[in-house]
C-alpha cells in the first residue's frame, strides 16, 4: 500500500486529466443481500449497516470489490451513520472510532487489491448528516456535532481513506460542523485532507 501523500499526488494528477467514477449506493447493495438480524449482530442491531463492518466484513468487502470490478475509481466507506450520535441509538456509541477505522480499512483493502500503477484506486470516507440537525430536528448542539464529526473523521483517516465525503445533509450547519471538525483534524495530524 502506498502512503497517503503518494495517493493524494496520484489523485490530483488523475483529477487534472479526467473525471473519476465513484461507486453507487452501499445501502441498496446491502438490501439486495437479504441480511438477517443475526448478520447485523442481533435483533437490537438490525438495520445498523455500519455494524456490518464488524459482523459481516465479507459482505462489505464483496460490495467494494464489485464496484471496483465494475470500473469504479473510488469507493465510499460503509460509515454513513458512524457518528457516536447515530450509533448511540443502537447502543454502539462508544464504538464509533473503531467502526469508522474498520470501515476505512476494509475499503482500503479492496482499493489496494484493485490498484495498479496504471489505474490506482481510492477510498472516500463517507460522513453522513447524523439523525439530528440543529435547524430541522434539534436535539443536538453545534459543539456536539463538531465532536462527533471529528471522531468519525479521525477513524476514517486512521483507517486509510484518501478523501472525506460529507454527504446528504439538509442542514448547512451540520455541514459547517463537519468542515470545522475536519479542519481541526487536519491541523492535529499535520496532513492535507
Amino acid at each position: 500500500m502506498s502512503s497517503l501523500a503518494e495517493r493524494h499526488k496520484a489523485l490530483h494528477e488523475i483529477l487534472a486529466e479526467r473525471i473519476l467514477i465513484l461507486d453507487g449506493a452501499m445501502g441498496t447493495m446491502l438490501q439486495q443481500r437479504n441480511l438477517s438480524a443475526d448478520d447485523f449482530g442481533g435483533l437490537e442491531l438490525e438495520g445498523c449497516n455500519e455494524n456490518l463492518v464488524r459482523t459481516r466484513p465479507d459482505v462489505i468487502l464483496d460490495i467494494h470489490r464489485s464496484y471496483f470490478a465494475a470500473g469504479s475509481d473510488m469507493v465510499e466507506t460503509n460509515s454513513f451513520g458512524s457518528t457516536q450520535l447515530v450509533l448511540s441509538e443502537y447502543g454502539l456509541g462508544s464504538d464509533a472510532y473503531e467502526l469508522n477505522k474498520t470501515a476505512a480499512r476494509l475499503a482500503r483493502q479492496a482499493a489496494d487489491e484493485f490498484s495498479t500503477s496504471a489505474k490506482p484506486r481510492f477510498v472516500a470516507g463517507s460522513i453522513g448528516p447524523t439523525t439530528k440537525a440543529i435547524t430541522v430536528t434539534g436535539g443536538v448542539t453545534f459543539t456536539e456535532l463538531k465532536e462527533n464529526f471529528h471522531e468519525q473523521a479521525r477513524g476514517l483517516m486512521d483507517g486509510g481513506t484518501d478523501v472525506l465525503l460529507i454527504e446528504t445533509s439538509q442542514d448547512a450547519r451540520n455541514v459547517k460542523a463537519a468542515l470545522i471538525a475536519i479542519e481541526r483534524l487536519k491541523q492535529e495530524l499535520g496532513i492535507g485532507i
Side-chain angles (χ1 to χ4, degrees):
M1 169 176 39
S2 59
S3 72
L4 178 62
E6 292 169 326
R7 293 192 313 267
H8 276 180
K9 183 178 184 278
L11 180 60
H12 286 283
E13 288 171 0
I14 292 168
L15 285 171
E17 297 173 10
R18 66 179 177 86
I19 295 170
L20 269 75
I21 305 298
L22 188 63
D23 65 359
M26 176 63 75
T28 303
M29 294 292 278
L30 289 171
Q31 287 177 348
Q32 292 174 2
R33 300 298 175 112
N34 297 315
L35 299 171
S36 70
D38 288 340
D39 290 312
F40 288 93
L43 194 56
E44 68 283 354
L45 298 174
E46 189 171 19
C48 184
N49 290 345
E50 295 75 15
N51 198 46
L52 292 168
V53 302
R54 179 170 32 206
T55 60
R56 291 298 308 270
D58 58 310
V59 171
I60 303 305
L61 265 171
D62 186 55
I63 291 170
H64 291 320
R65 288 171 176 147
S66 296
Y67 278 124
F68 282 132
S72 291
D73 296 298
M74 183 180 289
V75 296
E76 293 182 52
T77 56
N78 182 40
S79 58
F80 182 81
S82 284
T83 57
Q84 188 177 96
L85 188 65
V86 176
L87 292 169
S88 290
E89 296 172 11
Y90 293 96
L92 299 175
S94 62
D95 297 343
Y97 171 82
E98 274 308 317
L99 288 173
N100 281 286
K101 185 175 178 181
T102 302
R105 187 180 45 75
L106 290 171
R108 173 90 270 135
Q109 178 182 334
D112 290 345
E113 289 172 10
F114 280 82
S115 286
T116 66
S117 57
K119 187 168 173 114
R121 305 299 177 92
F122 303 97
V123 175
S126 174
I127 297 176
T130 80
T131 53
K132 307 266 190 254
I134 295 171
T135 305
V136 180
T137 60
V140 68
T141 67
F142 191 72
T143 299
E144 289 169 330
L145 282 173
K146 286 189 304 184
E147 291 306 312
N148 273 262
F149 288 131
H150 179 269
E151 179 180 41
Q152 183 176 27
R154 187 171 54 88
L156 291 169
M157 291 306 297
D158 287 350
T161 60
D162 300 305
V163 300
L164 295 175
L165 179 65
I166 303 166
E167 60 174 321
T168 323
S169 184
Q170 71 281 7
D171 191 330
R173 289 192 283 182
N174 280 48
V175 173
K176 183 177 181 179
L179 289 171
I180 290 170
I182 292 167
E183 184 60 32
R184 178 179 141 208
L185 181 63
K186 196 169 124 178
Q187 298 302 318
E188 291 169 358
L189 297 178
I191 61 170
I193 298 177

